[in-house]
Amino acid sequence: YTNAGKSTLFNRLTKSNVYADNKLFATLDTTIRKLALQNNIEILLCDTVGFINDLPHTLLNAFKSTLEEAVRADLILNVCDASDINLNNHISVTEATLNELHVNAPIIRVFNKCDKLDETNTLSDALLSGNTFSSLFVSALTGKNLDVLVDKICYYATELYSSVKMNVPIAELPRFLAMINKYSSKSSIQYNDDRAIIRSTMPKKFINLFAEYLEI
């Protein structure tokens, strides 16, 4: 949702300096940066435009066009302002829009700005239950629980991706590289006499395509 601190969170996680401001729609274009995780896995983290309810239909369509990355995402971070009195409505609007876009990826609700919470804040019973596997209270300003958030992202990434080692005859390398560049997210090559040792990170669903080259 707009002004929930998405860009500040994005900057803290990726050590970037994307424009962030305490106002509506400070982000209007999708920004993408790499984030290195454990097990030699790199992901692309996208900072998208925020949402707001009851936008004019033509403007809503324009905003949806900036969210095409979400349709192809492996994981969604729904960043919410935990201190906002309209929090539950913001969650409903955001996730309803994602449903309209046919986004099927798992969602982590990231309740940002927890540093602004005090005993005067009233949250629903579901939110007062605290951190769960699919939700987390964080502060992009202070850094609270950002390490836990990265661990959650890493869990989903390792469920989908794996690092593999492959042994490829040099004679087959051109054909092999054409395939690996299509399906792999990260690869390195070392040459050993008449063979090439390839270390690669790729979606687990594609590993069987390279079964003949795998080293266990």
Side-chain angles (χ1 to χ4, degrees):
Y1 212 83
T2 188
N3 206 33
K6 295 182 302 302
S7 296
T8 302
L9 179 63
F10 181 86
N11 286 337
R12 287 294 294 260
L13 292 177
T14 64
K15 296 179 173 58
S16 300
N17 58 352
V18 171
Y19 176 70
D21 202 351
N22 184 25
K23 65 180 181 181
L24 299 180
F25 305 123
T27 300
L28 290 174
D29 297 305
T30 299
T31 303
I32 303 174
R33 295 288 187 275
K34 284 184 179 181
L35 176 62
L37 302 176
Q38 301 172 12
N39 302 324
N40 296 317
I41 293 176
E42 287 185 343
I43 66 168
L44 296 178
L45 195 65
C46 305
D47 180 24
T48 69
V49 68
F51 295 86
I52 194 166
N53 204 8
D54 296 327
L55 281 175
H57 187 69
T58 52
L59 185 56
L60 181 60
N61 286 337
F63 272 40
K64 285 181 179 179
S65 70
T66 72
L67 294 170
E68 293 176 352
E69 296 294 339
V71 178
R72 297 191 292 272
D74 293 314
L75 176 67
I76 300 293
L77 305 182
N78 180 4
V79 183
C80 319
D81 180 352
S83 66
D84 196 303
I85 60 173
N86 296 310
L87 173 62
N88 287 327
N89 181 57
H90 292 177
I91 292 172
S92 297
V93 170
T94 301
E95 296 184 2
T97 304
L98 292 173
N99 285 333
E100 289 178 24
L101 293 169
H102 305 293
V103 173
N104 297 315
I107 296 175
I108 298 177
R109 291 179 181 172
V110 182
F111 298 107
N112 190 30
K113 303 187 182 182
C114 69
D115 54 285
K116 296 174 66 176
L117 295 177
D118 56 38
E119 64 276 5
T120 64
N121 289 99
T122 57
L123 299 177
S124 69
D125 291 340
L127 301 185
L128 286 173
S129 63
N131 299 333
T132 68
F133 191 78
S134 58
S135 66
L136 183 67
F137 285 88
V138 306
S139 172
L141 182 65
T142 67
K144 181 178 180 179
N145 282 340
L146 296 192
D147 57 336
V148 182
L149 176 58
V150 171
D151 286 344
K152 287 179 178 288
I153 295 171
C154 190
Y155 169 83
Y156 282 99
T158 53
E159 284 292 291
L160 293 171
Y161 292 83
S162 183
S163 296
V164 295
K165 180 181 178 182
M166 291 167 282
N167 193 320
V168 183
I170 294 295
E172 300 179 30
L173 195 56
R175 179 178 67 87
F176 176 88
L177 290 178
M179 289 182 61
I180 201 70
N181 289 336
K182 180 177 181 180
Y183 295 109
S184 172
S185 62
K186 180 181 179 183
S187 297
S188 64
I189 305 176
Q190 290 181 320
Y191 295 97
N192 183 11
D193 296 329
D194 62 344
R195 307 190 74 85
I197 306 301
I198 314 290
R199 288 178 171 81
S200 181
T201 300
M202 68 176 66
K204 291 181 179 179
K205 62 184 178 182
F206 296 138
I207 290 177
N208 284 341
L209 296 174
F210 305 92
E212 63 183 296
Y213 304 113
L214 290 177
E215 281 195 358
I216 305 302

